[in-house]
Amino acid sequence: QLQLVESGGGEVPPGGSLNLSCVASGKTADIYSMAWYRQTPGKQRELVASINRDRYINYPGSARGRFTISTDIAWNTVYLLMDSLRPEDTAVYYCHAQRLTVVATYDYWGQGTQVTVST
């Protein structure tokens, strides 16, 4: 099993920055990828950024150029540095991790951390 705990959310004005962290505990040795998603009320959860052990990094949406995803060397913690925040970045941000084993793939989610961008 794997447990994910996010931190670093909060409220900032437009143009501000936040650095989210997600600490993984448990069976971390076979984590293959980690990612950040976000969700607002009434909308589907969307991928913000992802990184895998092959060092492939993906920013599929508006995060490109403003957000940076990274991990520590042990792949126990994933970070999301968010710069130039906009009101539309307001959401609950969720950490996701995927473990790959010989027999199966497992997906895990954190509990979420609120990010609010507002004047």
Side-chain angles (χ1 to χ4, degrees):
Q1 293 297 319
L2 197 67
Q3 294 78 42
L4 302 173
V5 179
E6 301 105 332
S7 62
E11 184 169 354
V12 295
S17 298
L18 282 174
N19 194 13
L20 306 184
S21 300
C22 172
V23 178
S25 60
K27 295 186 175 181
T28 61
D30 44 14
I31 290 177
Y32 174 71
S33 68
M34 299 189 83
W36 289 95
Y37 286 73
R38 67 187 181 189
Q39 189 171 24
T40 54
K43 293 189 176 181
Q44 284 191 327
R45 196 169 293 188
E46 65 172 355
L47 176 65
V48 176
S50 65
I51 184 171
N52 65 28
R53 293 264 189 181
D54 297 316
R55 286 296 163 181
Y56 175 73
I57 297 175
N58 183 30
Y59 302 101
S62 64
R64 183 181 296 275
R66 300 187 298 126
F67 296 180
T68 304
I69 189 170
S70 62
T71 67
D72 67 345
I73 195 168
W75 276 74
N76 290 331
T77 305
V78 62
Y79 304 95
L80 185 68
L81 175 60
M82 304 186 292
D83 293 319
S84 302
L85 283 162
R86 306 167 180 168
E88 54 264 37
D89 295 316
T90 296
V92 178
Y93 284 70
Y94 295 91
C95 176
H96 172 266
Q98 187 174 73
R99 287 177 56 230
L100 295 183
T101 70
V102 175
V103 296
T105 300
Y106 301 93
D107 292 282
Y108 301 88
W109 294 93
Q111 82 286 355
T113 185
Q114 177 71 45
V115 170
T116 302
V117 184
S118 172
T119 56

